[in-house]
């Protein structure tokens, strides 16, 4: 009765209805395709439910973490402590409104100290270490490393390479000057080149460039 109604209402479907009635394989094939589509839709729905459940679980965990953090200590005191630590870090940086000025200040200081100690400088290079997020703008800088990722805000890591003629007492005095200097200077590498003519010492130093602690302290509130 249904087939007769369909063929009378839509005469163009008569050949398809006849094929459907005549071919059991066609009927099973269509049912199989519909079954596959139903299973696929069900699996998609279950995946969506799992994603929503995972997102809800993560949101609850984050809410619990924030609730616990909100009950811990005095945040104003913590912020003040963090600001003091930041100013302490900046007090060890070679001052300059631009990192290039910090490079120049470090280079001038190294030349002044080595000259005052009677050391002959064979090579002196100072370069910024590229920040991991600096991208193409820092192609002329040295590659980033693990220490660079941990520098304080608004400061730039620098690396200096210094080669001087070997004078043991003068080199020891230079190391003492590096230790006494108010700005941060880390000796990363020291190589004694006894086979060179004349014998030489190579120092590789790490330093920071950035605004001075006084300048940073006078910045408007809300700025790092």
């Amino acid at each position: 009765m249904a087939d007769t109604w369909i063929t009378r209402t839509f005469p163009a479907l008569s050949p398809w209805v006849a094929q459907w009635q005549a071919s059991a394989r066609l009927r099973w094939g269509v049912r199989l395709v519909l079954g596959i589509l139903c299973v696929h839709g069900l699996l998609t729905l279950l995946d969506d439910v799992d994603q929503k459940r995972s997102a809800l679980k993560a949101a609850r965990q984050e809410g619990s973490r924030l609730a616990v953090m909100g009950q811990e200590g005095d945040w104003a005191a913590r912020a003040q402590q963090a600001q003091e630590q930041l100013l302490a870090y900046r007090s060890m940086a070679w001052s300059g409104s631009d990192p290039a000025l910090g490079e120049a200040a470090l280079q001038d200081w190294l030349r002044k100290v080595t000259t005052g100690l009677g050391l002959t400088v064979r090579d002196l290079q100072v370069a910024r270490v590229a920040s991991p997020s600096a991208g193409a703008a820092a192609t002329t800088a040295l590659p980033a490393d693990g220490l660079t990722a941990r520098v304080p805000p608004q400061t730039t890591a620098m690396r200096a390479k210094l080669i001087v003629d070997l004078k043991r007492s003068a080199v020891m005095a230079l190391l003492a000057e590096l230790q006494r200097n108010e700005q941060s200077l880390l000796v990363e590498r020291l190589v004694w080149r006894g086979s060179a003519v004349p014998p030489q010492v190579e120092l590789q130093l790490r330093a920071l460039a950035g605004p001075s602690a006084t300048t940073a302290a006078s910045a408007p509130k809300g700025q790092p």
Side-chain angles (χ1 to χ4, degrees), residues 91-92 94 109 113 116-117 169-187:
S91 68
M92 297 186 295
W94 293 83
W109 184 85
V113 171
L117 294 174
S169 59
V171 170
M172 297 304 294
L174 173 61
L175 294 175
E177 288 292 336
L178 295 176
Q179 184 178 7
R180 283 196 298 265
N181 191 58
E182 294 181 357
Q183 282 75 27
S184 173
L185 276 172
L186 172 67
V187 179

Side-chain angles (χ1 to χ4, degrees), residues 4-15:
T4 303
W5 177 83
I6 291 175
T7 55
R8 287 178 179 178
T9 307
F10 304 101
L13 297 179
S14 297

Side-chain angles (χ1 to χ4, degrees), residues 6 8 11 15 20 39 74 80 109 114 118 127 134 151 154 157 169 198 218:
I6 291 175
R8 287 178 179 178
W20 175 266
V39 172
D74 186 356
Q80 180 64 27
W109 184 85
T114 51
V151 299
Q154 293 188 350
S169 59
S218 62

Side-chain angles (χ1 to χ4, degrees), residues 7-208:
T7 55
R8 287 178 179 178
T9 307
F10 304 101
L13 297 179
S14 297
W16 298 98
V17 173
Q19 274 191 339
W20 175 266
Q21 293 175 339
S23 176
R25 183 178 298 178
L26 176 61
R27 293 194 297 272
W28 281 107
V30 171
R31 290 167 184 167
L32 180 61
V33 170
L34 291 176
I36 292 173
L37 291 176
C38 290
V39 172
H40 180 269
L42 180 61
L43 292 177
T44 302
L45 180 61
L46 292 176
D47 288 342
D48 186 62
V49 171
D50 288 340
Q51 291 178 0
K52 293 289 194 304
R53 187 176 298 164
S54 299
L56 179 60
K57 182 179 179 181
R60 287 177 176 173
Q61 291 176 345
E62 182 66 14
S64 300
R65 186 181 68 85
L66 293 177
V68 172
M69 290 177 61
Q71 298 173 358
E72 293 179 352
D74 186 356
W75 286 101
R78 292 191 178 192
Q80 180 64 27
Q81 183 181 7
Q83 184 68 16
E84 292 174 356
Q85 290 179 350
L86 180 58
L87 292 178
Y89 276 118
R90 284 174 174 167
S91 68
M92 297 186 295
W94 293 83
S95 302
S97 56
D98 184 270
L101 298 178
E103 294 179 41
L106 175 58
Q107 190 167 16
D108 290 343
W109 184 85
L110 288 173
R111 287 195 180 277
K112 178 180 178 181
V113 171
T114 51
T115 300
L117 294 174
L119 289 167
T120 301
V121 177
R122 298 295 179 178
D123 188 19
L124 175 56
Q125 301 175 20
V126 179
R128 274 168 280 178
V129 182
S131 170
S133 60
T139 52
T140 58
L142 297 174
D145 54 23
L147 289 176
T148 309
R150 298 193 296 271
V151 299
Q154 293 188 350
T155 57
T156 304
M158 300 186 299
R159 181 173 287 150
K161 178 182 177 181
L162 174 65
I163 300 178
V164 297
D165 287 352
L166 176 56
K167 294 181 180 179
R168 294 182 182 274
S169 59
V171 170
M172 297 304 294
L174 173 61
L175 294 175
E177 288 292 336
L178 295 176
Q179 184 178 7
R180 283 196 298 265
N181 191 58
E182 294 181 357
Q183 282 75 27
S184 173
L185 276 172
L186 172 67
V187 179
E188 290 187 316
R189 186 166 175 261
L190 189 152
V191 180
W192 299 78
R193 297 179 175 176
S195 58
V197 181
Q200 298 172 349
V201 174
E202 176 183 339
L203 292 170
Q204 185 168 287
L205 310 173
R206 176 66 66 95
L208 295 175

